[in-house]
Amino acid sequence: MAPAAMRTAAQSLSGAKPVSYWLDDPARPDPLPALTGDEHTDLLVVGGGYSGLWTALIAKERDPERDVVLIEVHEVGWAASGRNGGFCAASLTHGLANGVERWPDEIARLEELGERNLDAIEAAVARYGIDCEFERTGEIDVATEPHQLEELREWHEEIVKLGITGVDFLDRDALRAEVDSPTFLGGLWDRRGVAMLHPAKLAWGLKRACQELGVRIYEHTRGLDLVRSGEGMAVRTPYGRVFARRVALGTNIFPSLVKRVRPYTVPVYDYALMTEPLTPEQLESIGWKGRQGLGDSANQFHYFRLSADNRILWGGYDAIYPYGGRLSADLDQRPETFLKLAEQFFTCFPQLSGLNFSHAWGGAIDTCSRFTAFFGTAHQGRVAYAAGFTGLGVGSTRFGADVMLDLLSGEETERTRLKMVRSKPMPFPPEPFAWAGIEITKRSLARADSNGGHRNLWLKTMDKLGLGFDS
């Protein structure tokens, strides 16, 4: 990085608050009291992110008489659900290409279920009056290198052959008419498959909706252990216990109360910046009247979108795995990554030189080796879990909630018959092998980005085994 560019990037960060823009909002609700004493319930949901909130809400929608309790270690929406980019995708498979590669015989059904799931989210937002700035604008995958453009062109031809509609190829001029950056060479616009939203407001709205349906929510209540209790289960908390007939675990990256599930995920720290609001003149200089979400096509990719007040969220690129899978608030801030992101932002949008960032933050994503959620049960079907959403959980967690409730019911459904639901990813090895393998993969992906997309022997072997690392 040239010294002048580094100074510009550093200056743009001088006033950035070290907190998620989404959580730094006056609409943030007051925390609820912790659980004290014993509770008895039909269904206990552990985790107050999207997974847990959707599970509690859908459980009450399916059976209004069912008694439901939800416990959350901090506050609802505090973790990934309040720190992500706000891209709510229909895809259940971390993108169509990953789904076609892994479950070609099921991809039509998976795409249909994903579209229905996104429609159901949109309907729930309207039904419960959740003001989460929901905009179904779609998303554009952007090529910034010639090899990426050719790959997108070839992939569009495959999409057409698969009978998928609503995805358009944009050449350089067509793309820059939508969003203007000198780095853009072309793109694929999925017009209906992705919505933009305010992620924390979605979580807070789901919290309110759950309470209105009678769900009892306890915040600052950690589930310490999970044991059998008669015909059901018991979860101990710092100041009490919850006795439940069934338990749904929506803890994602945090250590599962079912210990055998833990090797299937690793934490990957992802980072994002939010700019100050753009002036009308600044917004005019880049266009973006369609307000689509965008993501570039590199292995080390960026995602970016407009907020309701015309700020630009710019995140991604670095995906940091801490040795041993350590989870710590200290890792939420990484100045060297923020500086890198800021410099890359002004390379993408040089016409916005002088714009400052108001917020800079990070958080952990639950990554699994196949990039998509996996599911299962424990304790003879009394406990269900879903984890491994790998950065696309804003939408697919609702599907995961349906799967967990299906599994707890013991009934076969169109969801539980899926190979995706009945199979597991490859678990990550113990340390130091996990860290070494991830580091080799990250470095190989970076080399591929700088070498025309050519994948080395390590990446080709990983591809053949169906393994990977992503955020």
Side-chain angles (χ1 to χ4, degrees):
M1 185 190 305
M6 182 177 292
R7 283 196 300 272
T8 298
Q11 289 167 357
S12 73
L13 292 163
S14 62
K17 298 171 69 172
V19 63
S20 166
Y21 167 78
W22 309 117
L23 294 173
D24 186 28
D25 193 295
R28 185 171 182 168
D30 293 332
L32 296 171
L35 171 68
T36 57
D38 290 349
E39 267 277 22
H40 294 80
T41 188
D42 296 324
L43 173 66
L44 170 63
V45 179
V46 182
Y50 297 139
S51 285
L53 292 165
W54 281 118
T55 302
L57 186 70
I58 296 170
K60 292 294 284 186
E61 289 178 336
R62 290 188 183 187
D63 180 3
E65 299 304 313
R66 177 161 30 191
D67 191 66
V68 180
V69 167
L70 183 149
I71 61 173
E72 159 58 33
V73 67
H74 290 288
E75 296 176 24
V76 161
W78 164 85
S81 298
R83 305 179 190 221
N84 62 78
F87 289 64
C88 185
S91 177
L92 305 176
T93 60
H94 207 273
L96 178 61
N98 192 51
V100 169
E101 177 69 23
R102 297 182 186 279
W103 302 287
D105 296 338
E106 289 186 342
I107 193 61
R109 171 63 68 183
L110 288 166
E111 287 290 293
E112 178 192 353
L113 288 170
E115 291 172 9
R116 282 163 45 187
N117 184 65
L118 182 55
D119 289 343
I121 292 172
E122 186 172 16
V125 165
R127 183 166 64 253
Y128 293 107
I130 299 175
D131 181 16
C132 64
E133 302 163 10
F134 189 97
E135 299 180 277
R136 199 152 177 179
T137 56
E139 180 181 14
I140 303 176
D141 291 331
V142 174
T144 58
E145 297 288 344
H147 74 271
Q148 296 170 8
L149 182 63
E150 187 58 32
E151 289 168 359
L152 289 181
R153 195 189 306 274
E154 292 174 358
W155 177 235
H156 183 249
E157 293 173 357
E158 291 299 315
I159 290 173
V160 172
K161 291 177 183 177
L162 288 169
I164 305 293
T165 60
V167 180
D168 297 330
F169 179 81
L170 305 178
D171 63 18
R172 176 185 176 277
D173 292 342
L175 174 56
R176 292 187 63 173
E178 294 294 332
V179 188
D180 191 14
S181 165
T183 67
F184 290 177
L185 303 180
L188 285 185
W189 183 2
D190 181 350
R191 292 180 177 269
R192 290 282 299 167
V194 183
M196 299 294 107
L197 52 76
H198 187 304
K201 286 184 177 179
L202 175 61
W204 299 333
L206 291 173
K207 173 184 177 179
R208 174 181 53 80
C210 285
Q211 289 178 293
E212 290 173 352
L213 294 184
V215 177
R216 298 192 300 289
I217 298 176
Y218 298 96
E219 296 180 313
H220 297 288
T221 299
R222 182 186 298 274
L224 298 174
D225 55 44
L226 173 70
V227 297
R228 289 281 296 274
S229 177
E231 294 300 311
M233 303 298 300
V235 171
R236 183 171 59 88
T237 72
Y239 306 123
R241 295 173 297 177
V242 184
F243 297 90
R245 292 180 58 251
R246 297 290 183 266
V247 177
L249 300 178
T251 50
N252 296 311
I253 194 50
F254 297 98
S256 177
L257 293 178
V258 177
K259 293 182 179 179
R260 59 181 164 84
V261 176
R262 297 179 184 178
Y264 288 99
T265 62
V266 295
V268 175
Y269 276 80
D270 182 55
Y271 297 93
L273 305 174
M274 184 68 94
T275 72
E276 298 172 333
L278 273 63
T279 66
E281 294 76 20
Q282 288 171 325
L283 190 59
E284 180 67 25
S285 74
I286 59 173
W288 216 341
K289 293 180 176 64
R291 301 182 58 81
Q292 308 95 329
L294 290 99
D296 61 49
S297 301
N299 293 308
Q300 291 183 289
F301 63 93
H302 302 92
Y303 54 88
F304 39 119
R305 48 80 52 101
L306 287 169
S307 66
D309 59 350
N310 290 330
R311 301 168 185 262
I312 297 178
L313 180 145
W314 176 265
Y317 193 77
D318 274 345
I320 306 301
Y321 170 68
Y323 185 87
R326 182 169 66 95
L327 293 167
S328 171
D330 294 340
L331 298 172
D332 293 345
Q333 292 292 307
R334 196 167 192 269
E336 60 267 43
T337 292
F338 297 145
L339 186 62
K340 188 184 301 180
L341 284 172
E343 192 270 339
Q344 293 163 339
F345 175 86
F346 292 114
T347 298
C348 182
F349 293 121
Q351 60 268 56
L352 297 180
S353 177
L355 187 65
N356 292 318
F357 295 99
S358 62
H359 296 74
W361 72 94
I365 293 171
D366 62 326
T367 295
C368 74
S369 62
R370 73 181 192 188
F371 312 143
T372 64
F374 60 91
F375 314 90
T377 61
H379 295 280
Q380 296 180 309
R382 295 174 176 86
V383 177
Y385 56 83
F389 291 93
T390 316
L392 258 68
V394 179
S396 57
T397 44
R398 186 194 176 280
F399 174 82
D402 264 327
V403 171
M404 284 195 284
L405 292 170
D406 289 350
L407 293 172
L408 290 173
S409 75
E411 298 177 2
E412 186 178 88
T413 69
E414 62 178 341
R415 288 175 287 266
T416 62
R417 285 192 292 269
L418 292 168
K419 292 178 183 176
M420 187 185 81
V421 170
R422 292 187 285 109
S423 63
K424 293 277 196 306
M426 182 77 75
F428 290 93
E431 298 293 12
F433 304 106
W435 186 87
I438 289 170
E439 283 298 305
I440 293 170
T441 302
K442 285 174 56 181
R443 293 175 187 178
S444 297
L445 290 170
R447 282 198 294 270
D449 282 338
S450 62
N451 190 31
H454 296 296
R455 300 170 77 81
N456 62 17
L457 181 59
W458 176 269
L459 292 179
K460 290 177 180 178
T461 302
M462 297 283 281
D463 292 340
K464 189 172 183 179
L465 295 174
L467 304 176
F469 173 79
D470 203 357
S471 66

